[in-house]
Amino acid sequence: MLTNKFRDTLMKEEIIVQGDKILVAFSGGIDSVALLNLLLEVRESFGLRLGAVHLNHGYRENADADEAFCRSFCEEKEVPFFSRKIDVEAYAKAEKVSFEMAGRTLRYAFFEEVMKEKGFSKCATAHHLDDQVETVFLNLMRGTGLKGLTGISPLRGRYVRPLLSYKKSELLAYLEKNQISFRHDHTNDEVEYQRNRIRNEVLPYLEKHFNADVSESISRMTGLLVEDLKFIEGEVEKAKELFLQEAGDQVRLSKKVKDLPYAISSRLLMEAVQRVKGNLRDIEEVHIRDLLQLFLKETGKKLDIKEGIQGRNDYGDLLIEIKKEKTERENTMLHEVLSIPGTYHVKGQKITLRYIEREEMKKDKQLRFFNGDLISGEILVRHRDEGDRMRPFGMNGYRKLKNILIDRKVSREDREELLVFQYEKDIIYIGHMMISEDYKVREKTERILEIGIFEEEMK
């Protein structure tokens, strides 16, 4: 008997528990009538309080008759009934979305409103096994990932789907056996929509020519994939703790992310983008793969993603951030990456970088010396930026560069043109002026880095 099977399903999946106050999405069709009636049959044993909600789309010829049927059904069963009529077509045109998307948006907004106002703890929708199979096929044709192949989840926030393991034919047989009336939506028979074409043409063909039990096979597959996805998501959560940091409107991903399996790294990148952007709308796999490639670029390299969001390489780490409009100064700001050793010409000055022995150190106002044991690869030379900090030579604490320069009575104009040398995340040198205490040459320093800044002769 379907009622006993339904009771066992609720107890096994625990998506509905004792004392829940359930709002049922009630269209009057086979699925929702079966769902409401089954919940009424187990209402007493689970201590449930039930209500039904119906949105009249005002589109189909029989829309008002469907609403009247739902109201009458609920009155007979003594179930509180909530309904509203909305011009979905007008909303779709105004928002420039499909009628299907508009209907879904307005429907769930109404559900949320009723739940909040009437104190319902959950909303039950009548998605069943056939819907599950259709969703998997649609996602497959769109080129989905693992998440899409798991189909519809039985629990999403406050929304529950208790009928996902039941075929529509089972629900219809249940209603007919118990002589329970329902409304028939003739638009489900049309093939203009992809979902209807899968329902009415693709699945019957597969059942006839390949597997008469194709729905059950796909259901077993989604069950297995759900378990695989749970494992991956668990690993992603661990990786978030280790490799993802959020600060304001910026998310930093450690350079170690690029070495993780793609199943993990891609999800970390999507998480970072979602935190900054607020959603993943229009984010495609190509964006994720391009962001992974950005890990391998030199520091300072940027990649525009979508809607004012960018990725930026910061010494191997990847920053996902809101792209800021550049000021006039930022458009001309210096940002040069210098490899060690090397000679470079920057802003009318020659900059030399080389490693030397201790005995080669000499007193020269154009030279400065650093602990080369701590520095290798590349150094960034740039202009000063807001928020820059360093630990001045001979001091214990860190100070803002702005305050250091003000104390030294450096004019605003000169402050903007100073060369700032940065290694990884640390400022090691304000050109011609001050080196960092953290990078000074110490007694045990074995390799010394010499940085020279020379004014170039005018020709």
Side-chain angles (χ1 to χ4, degrees):
M1 184 178 176
L2 194 64
T3 305
N4 292 333
K5 180 181 175 182
F6 182 70
R7 185 181 287 106
D8 292 341
T9 298
L10 296 186
M11 294 178 68
K12 178 184 176 182
E13 296 185 355
E14 296 183 335
I15 57 175
I16 291 177
V17 297
Q18 286 285 333
D20 271 343
K21 189 174 182 182
I22 308 292
L23 181 67
V24 179
F26 192 52
S27 68
I30 294 171
D31 320 329
S32 64
V33 170
L35 174 60
L36 180 53
N37 213 72
L38 285 166
L39 286 170
L40 285 167
E41 292 198 65
V42 301
R43 174 170 56 180
E44 188 174 339
S45 59
F46 277 82
L48 303 178
R49 290 185 294 165
L50 301 175
V53 60
H54 177 92
L55 187 69
N56 184 339
H57 290 184
Y59 181 70
R60 292 192 301 110
E61 192 176 298
N62 299 323
D64 292 340
D66 290 343
E67 181 180 353
F69 168 84
C70 291
R71 185 183 303 278
S72 175
F73 186 98
C74 290
E75 287 175 354
E76 181 184 338
K77 304 291 185 180
E78 297 182 348
V79 174
F81 179 72
F82 310 95
S83 66
R84 176 177 294 169
K85 187 172 184 177
I86 297 180
D87 190 339
V88 177
E89 191 170 21
Y91 177 88
K93 289 179 180 178
E95 297 298 320
K96 297 180 180 179
V97 296
S98 67
F99 182 85
E100 204 170 22
M101 178 60 73
R104 186 182 187 283
T105 300
L106 294 171
R107 195 160 55 246
Y108 278 89
F110 185 40
F111 296 168
E112 288 289 333
E113 181 184 325
V114 175
M115 279 195 286
K116 182 178 180 180
E117 289 183 1
K118 304 300 179 181
F120 287 98
S121 56
K122 294 173 182 174
C123 181
T125 65
H127 294 91
H128 47 73
L129 182 57
D130 297 36
D131 294 320
Q132 179 75 294
V133 173
E134 292 158 14
T135 298
V136 170
F137 268 98
L138 282 170
N139 289 340
L140 182 63
M141 289 186 291
R142 292 167 181 157
T144 186
L146 183 58
K147 180 71 173 176
L149 290 178
T150 62
I152 306 168
S153 172
L155 176 65
R156 181 178 61 84
R158 295 197 295 168
Y159 290 85
V160 295
R161 289 109 178 191
L163 299 180
L164 283 179
S165 57
Y166 300 81
K167 291 183 178 180
K168 187 158 191 166
S169 57
E170 284 184 90
L171 304 177
L172 177 58
Y174 164 75
L175 295 181
E176 289 177 342
K177 181 180 178 180
N178 292 278
Q179 298 183 328
I180 300 170
S181 300
F182 56 88
R183 299 288 291 177
H184 180 67
D185 183 355
H186 292 281
T187 60
N188 289 333
D189 301 327
E190 299 170 358
V191 293
E192 283 79 6
Y193 297 114
Q194 283 189 328
R195 181 177 290 274
N196 289 357
R197 192 171 296 122
I198 291 171
R199 177 186 307 148
N200 299 317
E201 295 181 355
V202 176
L203 288 175
Y205 182 86
L206 292 175
E207 289 169 351
K208 180 179 180 181
H209 297 282
F210 291 93
N211 182 355
D213 211 12
V214 65
S215 295
E216 292 292 345
S217 297
I218 291 175
S219 179
R220 287 193 298 272
M221 179 196 76
T222 59
L224 292 171
L225 293 180
V226 164
E227 295 305 314
D228 291 347
L229 187 59
K230 284 180 182 177
F231 173 78
I232 292 173
E233 289 177 340
E235 294 302 301
V236 171
E237 288 302 316
K238 295 176 188 176
K240 285 181 192 177
E241 294 293 322
L242 295 172
F243 306 126
L244 188 149
Q245 292 180 323
E246 187 172 4
D249 56 1
Q250 183 185 79
V251 174
R252 177 181 293 273
L253 291 155
S254 164
K255 63 188 73 174
K256 295 180 180 179
V257 168
K258 71 179 185 300
D259 300 319
L260 296 174
Y262 184 72
I264 308 298
S265 61
S266 60
R267 286 172 169 83
L268 287 176
L269 285 165
M270 287 190 287
E271 173 72 18
V273 171
Q274 180 158 8
R275 290 192 187 189
V276 176
K277 186 172 179 287
N279 58 64
L280 289 173
R281 187 173 56 250
D282 298 327
I283 299 299
E284 301 173 3
E285 187 184 14
V286 64
H287 299 118
I288 301 304
R289 291 196 178 274
D290 286 348
L291 285 171
L292 277 173
Q293 287 299 309
L294 192 58
F295 274 112
L296 306 176
K297 305 291 185 181
E298 63 266 26
T299 188
K301 281 291 185 181
K302 299 176 183 179
L303 173 70
D304 285 344
I305 309 173
K306 285 279 184 178
E307 298 177 13
I309 306 299
Q310 71 177 11
R312 174 164 60 90
N313 186 302
D314 185 49
Y315 285 95
D317 288 354
L318 185 62
L319 298 178
I320 306 297
E321 58 192 1
I322 296 173
K323 185 178 179 181
K324 297 176 181 176
E325 293 296 325
K326 291 186 176 181
T327 63
E328 184 177 343
R329 175 176 178 262
E330 286 174 326
N331 279 314
T332 59
M333 278 183 69
L334 176 66
H335 191 282
E336 296 278 350
V337 177
L338 314 180
S339 295
I340 308 170
T343 299
Y344 302 89
H345 301 275
V346 178
K347 292 287 184 179
Q349 300 178 90
K350 182 174 76 171
I351 298 176
T352 62
L353 302 100
R354 65 180 187 134
Y355 293 111
I356 63 172
E357 299 296 330
R358 187 176 291 267
E359 55 266 26
E360 294 180 79
M361 294 174 65
K362 61 181 179 180
K363 191 172 183 179
D364 186 327
K365 66 179 182 178
Q366 296 174 312
L367 302 176
R368 294 293 186 275
F369 304 95
F370 302 83
N371 186 343
D373 296 341
L374 304 177
I375 304 171
S376 63
E378 297 175 335
I379 282 180
L380 172 67
V381 61
R382 59 175 176 80
H383 285 145
R384 183 184 66 85
D385 206 352
E386 288 299 317
D388 281 344
R389 301 169 69 88
M390 74 176 293
R391 185 182 176 198
F393 183 87
M395 295 185 63
N396 293 323
Y398 290 81
R399 298 191 66 202
K400 286 186 176 181
L401 262 60
K402 179 180 178 180
N403 294 335
I404 294 171
L405 299 174
I406 289 174
D407 288 349
R408 292 194 169 217
K409 300 187 181 338
V410 179
S411 71
R412 180 185 294 274
E413 292 75 18
D414 289 341
R415 292 202 301 266
E416 302 305 318
E417 293 303 315
L418 283 172
L419 299 183
V420 174
F421 291 75
Q422 179 178 324
Y423 177 67
E424 295 190 342
K425 300 171 187 175
D426 299 329
I427 292 173
I428 65 171
Y429 181 29
I430 306 174
H432 287 311
M433 186 175 298
M434 180 183 295
I435 73 171
S436 166
E437 175 71 18
D438 293 327
Y439 288 84
K440 73 179 183 181
V441 176
R442 302 183 185 276
E443 186 175 323
K444 294 183 179 180
T445 299
E446 296 182 356
R447 185 172 70 167
I448 295 167
L449 172 65
E450 176 194 277
I451 298 180
I453 305 178
F454 306 89
E455 294 294 330
E456 295 192 308
E457 296 182 12
M458 298 292 292
K459 293 183 180 182

